[in-house]
Amino acid sequence: MIHDSDTALILVDLQRDFLPGGALAVDDGAAVVPLANGLSRRFSNVILTQDWHPAGHISFASSHAGHRPSNVITLPYGPQVLWPDHCVQGTEGADFAPGLDVPHAQLVIRKGHHAHIDSYSTFYEADHHVTTGLTGYLRARGIRRVVLAGLALDFCVGWSALDAARDGFETFVVEEACRAIDTHGSLHRAREDMARAGVRPLTLTEAGI
C-alpha cells in the first residue's frame, strides 16, 4: 500500500509555532519531526501543509476584545476555539519545523489564509464548503488513499482525516506520529469522530518505520 502510486502521505502543519517555544506549542510536538521524516521515505507521494494566517485572523483571541486563548465563541460557521496569534504569514513561526527533511514533497497546501474563517482541515475551510483545492489535486493525480500524520491530532489532523473520508478517500492516521492539544475534550471527540467516519489507524511498524 505505502509504495502505491495511488497513495499519498499528508504531513500536517509541522511548523515552528506548534513546537516547544512556539506561540501555540503542542506538548512533545518536536518528537513528530523525525517520525515524519522517516515516514516520508516510505511514500512516493508526499504533501505538506502550512497554517498560514494573516495578521488579525478571526481565530486569534487578540481579535476579540475581552477574550483569551482557549475561549470558545460562536461564529457564522459554528463554534470557534480562540488561539494565541500563531503561524502569521511570513513570520518565523509559520516556517516549517527545523529538521523537517522531506525534499521529495510534491505540494504545499497553505490553509487558514482567509481572514474571516478558520481552516483546521487541509481539505476545507471551517464552513465545510470553501475548498483548499486538495481534493481536486488528489483526484487529478489518481490518488485514492491518504495517510495523515502531524500536528495536532485533535484539530488539523483529525479534521483533515474526516474530510478525506467524506470525500471518498480511504483514510489512515498514524497516531504515533501525531501529538494533540486536548482542550475541552477535543482529543476524545476527535477519536470518536474518526472511528465513526471509518478512518483507520496505521502504526509506524505497519508503515515500515
Side-chain angles (χ1 to χ4, degrees):
M1 176 190 77
I2 293 171
H3 295 290
D4 289 350
S5 61
D6 58 359
T7 301
L9 173 67
I10 302 174
L11 296 175
V12 179
D13 295 1
L14 294 175
Q15 296 168 259
R16 286 180 178 269
D17 266 345
F18 297 125
L19 303 186
L24 184 49
V26 179
D27 284 348
D28 200 33
V32 174
V33 176
L35 299 176
N37 290 340
L39 271 174
S40 74
R41 302 295 185 265
R42 309 295 295 167
F43 291 81
S44 56
N45 300 307
V46 182
I47 295 162
L48 301 174
T49 81
Q50 272 183 302
D51 239 12
W52 197 248
H53 297 307
H57 191 261
I58 200 167
S59 70
F60 296 166
S62 62
S63 299
H64 304 272
H67 287 282
R68 304 181 62 170
S70 84
N71 287 172
V72 180
I73 64 172
T74 300
L75 293 174
Y77 53 83
Q80 173 69 55
V81 179
L82 298 180
W83 305 108
D85 293 23
H86 66 282
C87 296
V88 175
Q89 297 170 3
T91 66
E92 185 177 274
D95 290 345
F96 285 117
L100 185 65
D101 183 23
V102 191
H104 60 299
Q106 299 154 343
L107 179 71
V108 175
I109 288 284
R110 286 176 166 172
K111 58 189 182 61
H113 50 78
H114 297 294
H116 300 295
I117 187 170
D118 206 4
S119 182
Y120 297 138
S121 171
T122 303
F123 290 84
Y124 291 92
E125 307 288 351
D127 65 355
H128 303 294
H129 294 292
V130 178
T131 177
T132 66
L134 181 54
T135 293
Y137 171 86
L138 293 174
R139 287 176 177 162
R141 290 283 314 278
I143 302 295
R144 64 183 185 86
R145 182 187 298 111
V146 297
V147 178
L148 294 114
L151 302 171
L153 176 61
D154 45 340
F155 284 96
C156 295
V157 175
W159 284 50
S160 297
L162 294 176
D163 282 342
R166 188 178 299 115
D167 276 0
F169 298 99
E170 187 179 6
T171 306
F172 297 81
V173 170
V174 186
E175 277 207 29
E176 294 164 279
C178 301
R179 296 296 185 271
I181 295 173
D182 199 12
T183 182
H184 303 291
S186 56
L187 180 57
H188 176 73
R189 185 165 55 252
R191 284 173 167 154
E192 284 193 332
D193 289 346
M194 286 190 288
R196 191 160 43 243
V199 175
R200 296 161 58 187
L202 183 71
T203 68
L204 287 171
T205 299
E206 289 169 334
I209 303 302

